[in-house]
Amino acid sequence: MKDRNYYLAKAEENMPKIIYSELKPEASQEVFKKGDSILLDLGNHYVGHFSFRLDAAEYFICAPVKMKIRFAEDSREVDDDFSSYDGDLPSSWLQEETVILDHHMTVDMPRRYACRYIKITVEATEVKVKLSDFKFLASTSADMDSLKAADIKDEELRKIDEIAINTLKNCMQTLFEDGPKRDRRLWIGDLRLEALANYCTFDNREIVKRCLHLIAAGECNELGFLPSYIFETPEFHTGWAHLSDYALLYVVTLCDYYKNTKDIDTVNDLLDLCKSQLKSFRNILDENLIVVKQKGWFVFIDWCKGLKSLTALQGVYLYTLEKFTELLESIGDSEKEAYEKHLDDVRKASRKHLFDEEKGVFVNATDEYQKSVHSQVWMILGGVIEGKEAEKALKTMLKDAEAKQPFTPYMRHYIVEAMLKIGLKDEAFSYIKEIWGGMIKLGADTFYEVYVPGDPDFSPYRDRMINSLCHAWSCTPTYFIRNEL
Ligand code: RAM
């Protein structure tokens, strides 16, 4: 295995170029007195830096001018009462600044924001002031000129594709961010889906390569799993979470990368690391080859409260093993047969210990007999059931009011993938229209971190205001639309 400096150097070599565009939102008013406010509309969701000019409109600025500046991803956020925020994550993610200025000047806001709307309120001033020259310098590493053309006949799907690409574009900065408002870092689960959407749209291979090497540079935990996220600013830093499903999806990301690029050098750089992830996972299987619960936050799957996720996690392992075996086959690796044999053994064991043959669904003691869509989806993706049997298991749980249902577009991606795998193409595209189309009906310019039809206030962090409305893992309809239609 290579060392951290090697991986970081590779990541640096593949730094994408940032493309800037200057937006000049129109103002309806120029002169402001205490209490006045203005709402600027960029016309779409963007990520970038804001600047404006402050001058006296009469006499001279003789007392400090205090302003509140709010950056909102959608129109609802413009007037949300941030003082009532009571979520689990720090309120400092809410995009609002209080600015106090002593004299006329050009104000360059130091932070980067993700927004469509900017609301400025003059809270205190002695004289009337003039606000002008509003500029938003938008940034992305997605080059719109390189966007692959697609002839999408269905108007609803064409719109979904457009919003998905806008989501991906705004998350593509110097790395694949999960959300440009929050958390602004590289998470493996998001990376895998962004990379998939990227191949069929911008096809920026460097950024995928960079992200693969950045994660590789992170420190593994005591079980041997890679960090689920890393920071790159102000310097590289390993994240504290080491989710085992994300560690597996790192391997999948390399498999997808090779399939799309045939870049054998990168595979050679990262192959041993991937083998070590699979070995670490194998170490947490019991004597029946079923995964054992570990302490702390060790598996994600979905933001579904109370979800028992061992069956789904077992499915992620099988899914990864299958893709990894294919990779080994295509590069002629001598260990391919051993992995294939293990895949077969784990599949058989999964059916034996996790499937209820009588009911035809994955409901088992391992997950305390909890019913969930998640278990069925990942067991289908893991190849344990297929055809009519799979269709029945999935449809039964999707209809069951007592079964745990998905909460994130991330988990919903895998539902669509499972539907397509078992030939339910019409259902898959109706589902895309219901979920991603549902966000568009709410006015989305980019797809949200979480979306639960009929419950627009749902938040995994207990307060909707902290949710990210442009979230990487929600960008994959473009992948399905472009590859399946
Ligand atoms: C959230 C982020 C991120 C995701 C993790 C598990 O904190 O939204 O996208 O990957 O959860």
Side-chain angles (χ1 to χ4, degrees):
M1 248 175 311
K2 304 279 196 300
D3 69 10
R4 164 184 272 206
N5 289 336
Y6 176 87
Y7 294 136
L8 288 177
K10 278 277 168 198
E12 194 58 32
E13 267 172 38
N14 289 285
M15 177 71 86
K17 189 171 143 260
I18 298 289
I19 300 158
Y20 295 97
S21 49
E22 194 177 78
L23 304 160
K24 293 187 174 176
E26 263 178 47
S28 53
Q29 180 182 348
E30 212 179 41
V31 176
F32 295 77
K33 59 181 186 328
K34 181 183 171 203
D36 284 352
S37 65
I38 186 172
L39 182 65
L40 304 172
D41 180 358
L42 301 178
N44 202 340
H45 184 285
Y46 290 96
V47 177
H49 286 81
F50 180 58
S51 66
F52 64 96
R53 177 82 207 158
L54 168 75
D55 290 288
E58 58 181 8
Y59 182 51
F60 192 74
I61 294 183
C62 51
V65 180
K66 183 176 173 187
M67 283 177 274
K68 199 154 255 176
I69 308 184
R70 165 152 332 175
F71 300 86
E73 293 197 290
D74 74 350
S75 55
R76 198 174 175 197
E77 205 175 346
V78 171
D79 294 313
D80 270 341
D81 176 11
F82 283 178
S83 70
S84 70
Y85 174 72
D86 186 30
D88 296 329
L89 301 177
S91 62
S92 42
W93 284 118
L94 301 174
Q95 304 181 109
E96 184 168 73
E97 312 283 354
T98 297
V99 178
I100 302 180
L101 304 165
D102 290 307
H103 47 74
H104 57 257
M105 64 171 83
T106 296
V107 184
D108 281 304
M109 303 288 289
R111 299 188 65 228
R112 199 198 71 188
Y113 302 97
C115 62
R116 169 168 175 168
Y117 301 99
I118 303 165
K119 183 178 180 181
I120 308 180
T121 307
V122 175
E123 294 202 320
T125 182
E126 189 163 326
V127 296
K128 283 186 185 154
V129 293
K130 185 177 153 195
L131 300 180
S132 62
D133 212 8
F134 301 111
K135 283 185 196 147
F136 194 86
L137 190 63
S139 65
T140 173
S141 55
D143 180 1
M144 289 309 281
D145 292 338
S146 68
L147 179 63
K148 293 184 185 176
D151 183 18
I152 304 162
K153 301 270 182 311
D154 182 309
E155 184 47 30
E156 211 179 334
L157 292 178
R158 199 205 50 74
K159 186 74 191 157
I160 293 175
D161 181 71
E162 182 190 313
I163 306 280
I165 291 169
N166 205 31
T167 309
L168 174 63
K169 169 183 155 250
N170 287 349
C171 293
M172 274 172 77
Q173 301 293 331
T174 49
L175 46 69
F176 279 126
E177 294 187 13
D178 63 330
K181 166 179 139 179
R182 206 219 78 240
D183 317 331
R184 304 172 164 206
R185 67 197 66 158
L186 174 66
W187 280 89
I188 296 173
D190 305 70
L191 157 64
R192 196 260 156 157
L193 299 188
E194 287 174 285
L196 276 187
N198 168 55
Y199 298 126
C200 58
T201 53
F202 303 109
D203 201 15
N204 180 334
R205 296 167 182 201
E206 290 68 35
I207 194 171
V208 186
K209 195 166 164 186
R210 171 171 165 77
C211 292
L212 282 166
H213 283 91
L214 281 171
I215 296 283
E219 276 160 45
C220 294
N221 70 351
E222 65 288 353
L223 294 173
F225 294 127
L226 280 164
S228 302
Y229 67 88
I230 58 91
F231 302 93
E232 62 162 354
T233 322
E235 65 266 321
F236 179 87
H237 197 78
T238 300
W240 63 262
H242 293 76
L243 302 159
S244 52
D245 48 342
Y246 274 25
L248 294 170
L249 290 173
Y250 177 82
V251 178
V252 172
T253 310
L254 183 70
C255 299
D256 297 337
Y257 175 79
Y258 183 71
K259 220 173 169 178
N260 283 281
T261 65
K262 298 284 174 288
D263 170 2
I264 189 69
D265 295 338
T266 298
V267 170
N268 286 336
D269 272 357
L270 303 170
L271 195 67
D272 286 347
L273 181 62
C274 287
K275 286 183 178 172
S276 82
Q277 296 308 295
L278 290 166
K279 190 164 166 240
S280 299
F281 200 88
R282 202 170 176 154
N283 288 341
I284 60 166
L285 301 183
D286 67 11
E287 64 285 3
N288 292 323
L289 295 178
I290 302 297
V291 65
V292 175
K293 186 175 177 180
Q294 304 295 305
K295 63 176 182 340
W297 193 32
F298 87 105
V299 49
F300 173 60
I301 303 295
D302 185 25
W303 282 129
C304 169
K305 216 168 164 228
L307 178 73
K308 309 276 179 225
S309 39
L310 293 174
T311 305
L313 177 57
Q314 180 95 0
V316 180
Y317 182 48
L318 288 165
Y319 177 78
T320 309
L321 280 174
E322 181 172 309
K323 295 210 181 273
F324 194 63
T325 310
E326 281 164 18
L327 172 70
L328 296 185
E329 161 126 58
S330 55
I331 62 170
D333 189 285
S334 61
E335 288 187 75
K336 183 214 134 197
E337 258 98 64
Y339 277 98
E340 213 164 39
K341 160 92 177 54
H342 179 61
L343 167 62
D344 194 46
D345 292 346
V346 180
R347 247 187 210 145
K348 286 187 182 128
S350 303
R351 175 147 194 149
K352 181 167 173 211
H353 298 284
L354 302 174
F355 192 58
D356 183 329
E357 298 283 349
E358 222 167 89
K359 297 201 178 84
V361 285
F362 286 90
V363 173
N364 47 57
T366 304
D367 277 328
E368 298 169 36
Y369 299 99
Q370 185 186 73
K371 295 192 267 183
S372 77
V373 169
H374 309 70
S375 295
Q376 321 310 314
V377 164
W378 276 111
M379 282 286 133
I380 292 169
L381 293 175
V384 183
I385 49 170
E386 52 189 26
K388 287 284 158 222
E389 196 171 42
E391 182 176 338
K392 186 181 155 228
L394 180 60
K395 288 187 173 167
T396 308
M397 286 301 162
L398 280 169
K399 281 198 303 262
D400 189 333
E402 281 170 22
K404 292 281 181 191
Q405 300 291 330
F407 276 72
T408 56
Y410 167 79
M411 182 61 212
R412 295 183 195 279
H413 164 94
Y414 290 107
I415 294 187
V416 175
E417 195 177 323
M419 286 175 169
L420 290 170
K421 186 176 180 197
I422 57 175
L424 303 178
K425 197 163 172 173
D426 290 347
E427 282 90 339
F429 280 94
S430 312
Y431 193 73
I432 289 177
K433 286 183 178 178
E434 180 199 335
I435 301 301
W436 283 269
M439 288 187 247
I440 294 180
K441 287 196 186 102
L442 291 179
D445 292 314
T446 46
F447 290 128
Y448 310 158
E449 175 180 18
V450 280
Y451 172 65
V452 182
D455 187 4
D457 284 350
F458 172 77
S459 170
Y461 322 104
R462 293 190 313 103
D463 195 315
R464 171 189 59 78
M465 288 188 273
I466 210 77
N467 288 359
S468 150
L469 299 187
C470 172
H471 215 70
W473 67 21
S474 309
C475 74
T476 56
T478 185
Y479 162 77
F480 293 122
I481 293 168
R482 286 165 180 249
N483 284 301
E484 296 288 335
L485 287 184

